[in-house]
Amino acid sequence: MIRGCRVNIFCRNKRKCEFAAIIMSTGLIIVMYSILIGVHLKIDSVISFKSLRYSDFDPLDINNKSKISNFVISIKHSQLLQSLTPVKENKTIDSHVEFISNQNSSSTISWTEELKPGENMNLKEERYYGEKSDNNNYGINKGSNMGSNVTRSLPDAIIIGVKKGGTRALLEYLRLHPKVRATGPEPHFFDRNYEKGFEWYRQHMPASTKGQLTIEKTPSYFVTNGVPEKVYKMSKKTKLIIVLRDPVTRAISDYAQLASRRPSVKTFEELAFIDNRTKIVDTSWPIIKIGIYIQHLVKWLEYFPIGQIHFVSGENLIKEPTYEMKLVQEFLGLEPMINDSYFSFNNTKGFPCFKKQPNSSRFQCLNRDKGRLHPDLSHSVIKRLRDFYRPFNARIYQITGHNFGWT
Ligand SMILES: Nc1ncnc2c1ncn2[C@@H]1O[C@H](COP(=O)(O)OS(=O)(=O)O)[C@@H](OP(=O)(O)O)[C@H]1O
């Protein structure tokens, strides 16, 4: 009765009424479908970004193919979203920035690379300025013109090590400086991708403008044979930075990372000593070998003068980030802008956290896999390792002119 009444009110002619109903429902389906696609793209981008932290994602690692495709998809989605939202003048798009709040009311930072207005993700541009770089043996440092004086340059400075020394923290602190442009993931150019050539390397550097320093970090460079010569060939003026940390805690940190990725791995003691009874240290185990810093450093000194290498104390970078940053900025010839106001010690995390702008109230902390729990090792194991490293450490103190205080 009621249905009949409605039909009568809106459609006098039953066929016209059916036709109108079909048109309306088709329209409704199209609208809902578009909304769903839009939501899907947005969600997918966010999920992809969230799942890709620099710590577990190396886009240059061939074993990470699934992550690469995930990454590429997320970039495409973000580009699509960007093209729907025109970029306003002077607005910076953080294309790869990921700040995820965690339970401790701090945040987690992932790697960052910013796109400037007019710049896009296409790195294929092959035009050169033709300008011979002042610090590059090959004259290829300043590269493709991306418009409005934006270029990609080979690094002016490289954080070459040491693994688990605090290299990520240092790079993220340096990134706070307006005159610094830093890479996100580790490019691994000199140790894994050298055959791809300097142009490949340069294309993996962040966009920069004149006067800005380009900096990358790949801690494996410090211990990889042949890298000092290759860096020298790129530019003998490259400034080198090494974050040194007590080799015993460094080894434990490295092992903690290994165990978190391979839970079935042998115990630290089983791997660190040739024989657990005699406790002869196994120097062929990379986790031990990396900590014999002097052996690696001398290879760099064959190519670079000691004054061209800046040593950061990994321990002090945690205790007094401002002081260590003052020294690094001095070394890089930067105005000392990264000061106390950027840091706040987060007691829950047990590490300094930092803010992107001095006037911001929001502090960000490094990812949760920086500052992992270390396995408990017996005093005798620690003592044995300390005894082992002591003579090597003494030579490091001598050469660098700095007592790092590792006991
Ligand atoms: N601000 C801040 N937040 C968190 N962690 C910090 C920070 N500053 C230094 N560190 C120390 O950095 C250690 C990781 O070193 P790296 O970044 O060089 O590691 S890696 O080689 O890139 O994997 C990491 O080692 P673990 O504590 O063993 O995880 C930290 O001790």
Side-chain angles (χ1 to χ4, degrees):
M1 173 73 185
I2 293 169
R3 259 159 123 215
C5 183
R6 274 198 182 144
V7 168
N8 280 344
I9 291 166
F10 294 110
C11 335
R12 296 244 155 71
N13 177 324
K14 199 182 168 201
R15 284 188 67 175
K16 273 189 189 165
C17 181
E18 280 171 0
F19 182 69
I22 289 168
I23 297 286
M24 277 169 65
S25 49
T26 314
L28 196 66
I29 288 168
I30 291 172
V31 169
M32 285 181 67
Y33 190 62
S34 326
I35 291 171
L36 278 175
I37 286 180
V39 168
H40 167 75
L41 284 179
K42 241 186 167 125
I43 289 174
D44 201 355
S45 315
V46 173
I47 290 172
S48 302
F49 272 83
K50 282 203 170 191
S51 62
L52 291 167
R53 305 213 189 99
Y54 62 79
S55 52
D56 51 26
F57 170 65
D58 175 359
L60 312 175
D61 181 347
I62 49 166
N63 299 320
N64 269 334
K65 279 200 178 116
S66 62
K67 289 178 185 169
I68 292 174
S69 58
N70 195 11
F71 177 72
V72 171
I73 290 167
S74 78
I75 290 294
K76 278 189 185 148
H77 287 176
S78 74
Q79 278 178 321
L80 190 69
L81 292 171
Q82 281 166 22
S83 66
L84 296 174
T85 330
V87 181
K88 289 202 190 84
E89 202 54 38
N90 296 329
K91 190 185 160 217
T92 303
I93 302 171
D94 281 5
S95 66
H96 306 164
V97 180
E98 178 196 359
F99 291 108
I100 309 167
S101 289
N102 70 21
Q103 305 88 323
N104 303 330
S105 77
S106 60
S107 306
T108 304
I109 186 170
S110 177
W111 53 282
T112 310
E113 178 166 342
E114 293 167 352
L115 282 186
K116 297 273 179 316
E119 184 188 339
N120 59 33
M121 289 301 295
N122 178 14
L123 306 181
K124 296 261 159 60
E125 168 94 65
E126 293 272 325
R127 232 171 71 211
Y128 288 86
Y129 266 154
E131 151 189 319
K132 193 162 164 56
S133 158
D134 50 353
N135 72 348
N136 189 276
N137 292 350
Y138 292 94
I140 53 174
N141 193 30
K142 289 287 170 194
S144 56
N145 183 354
M146 304 165 79
S148 53
N149 297 325
V150 180
T151 63
R152 292 183 194 277
S153 302
L154 289 173
D156 303 282
I158 308 178
I159 302 173
I160 56 171
V162 300
K163 188 180 177 202
K164 308 317 291 178
T167 55
R168 175 56 60 182
L170 179 63
L171 192 74
E172 294 309 321
Y173 298 165
L174 275 169
R175 194 195 298 286
L176 303 174
H177 199 291
K179 287 275 166 68
V180 169
R181 299 290 290 138
T183 49
E186 297 167 5
H188 282 279
F189 173 64
F190 295 103
D191 61 338
R192 293 187 202 159
N193 294 296
Y194 194 63
E195 71 293 344
K196 292 182 178 148
F198 284 111
E199 181 54 22
W200 178 95
Y201 189 32
R202 197 171 53 72
Q203 297 290 11
H204 282 75
M205 292 300 120
S208 60
T209 52
K210 200 161 183 272
Q212 286 186 313
L213 293 182
T214 299
I215 303 182
E216 75 118 315
K217 79 121 184 161
T218 305
S220 47
Y221 290 162
F222 183 57
V223 297
T224 308
N225 284 338
V227 171
E229 184 182 2
K230 290 173 183 166
V231 175
Y232 180 86
K233 279 184 175 165
M234 174 185 75
S235 169
K236 57 183 178 195
K237 290 187 183 167
T238 310
K239 292 193 176 183
L240 307 172
I241 302 174
I242 309 175
V243 189
L244 289 177
R245 179 184 188 183
D246 180 341
V248 179
T249 38
R250 197 222 68 82
I252 300 169
S253 167
D254 209 348
Y255 175 79
Q257 175 169 293
L258 177 70
S260 75
R261 290 174 182 173
R262 278 186 23 214
S264 59
V265 72
K266 288 182 177 175
T267 63
F268 184 93
E269 291 88 328
E270 280 171 315
L271 293 165
F273 304 115
I274 289 171
D275 172 73
N276 211 355
R277 192 181 48 85
T278 53
K279 293 264 186 303
I280 294 173
V281 176
D282 186 351
T283 52
S284 69
W285 189 34
I287 285 184
I288 290 290
K289 207 169 161 184
I290 291 173
I292 310 175
Y293 300 141
I294 189 68
Q295 281 185 1
H296 311 293
L297 182 62
V298 290
K299 296 187 181 155
W300 287 89
L301 293 175
E302 284 173 25
Y303 293 89
F304 294 92
I306 190 88
Q308 210 167 309
I309 308 176
H310 180 72
F311 299 88
V312 175
S313 155
E315 286 80 17
N316 212 36
L317 190 64
I318 297 168
K319 275 188 256 153
E320 294 184 275
T322 313
Y323 176 74
E324 289 299 330
M325 288 312 290
K326 180 179 165 289
L327 300 182
V328 178
Q329 289 171 98
E330 247 168 55
F331 171 72
L332 293 173
L334 292 166
E335 202 186 315
M337 293 179 82
I338 313 302
N339 53 30
D340 239 358
S341 64
Y342 281 87
F343 300 102
S344 166
F345 196 85
N346 183 317
N347 285 320
T348 318
K349 187 158 171 77
F351 289 95
C353 296
F354 53 95
K355 47 188 178 183
K356 274 188 106 183
Q357 304 290 341
N359 52 359
S360 160
S361 58
R362 187 159 166 246
F363 283 93
Q364 279 119 29
C365 304
L366 291 189
N367 213 325
R368 249 170 287 174
D369 58 11
K370 301 290 175 185
R372 277 197 186 91
L373 266 180
H374 289 184
D376 256 343
L377 299 179
S378 70
H379 285 301
S380 64
V381 168
I382 303 274
K383 183 177 177 312
R384 180 70 198 96
L385 290 176
R386 292 211 181 290
D387 291 345
F388 168 76
Y389 281 119
R390 195 165 294 113
F392 302 115
N393 292 345
R395 289 188 59 204
I396 280 287
Y397 298 170
Q398 208 176 21
I399 286 193
T400 62
H402 184 85
N403 182 338
F404 287 87
W406 308 319
T407 47

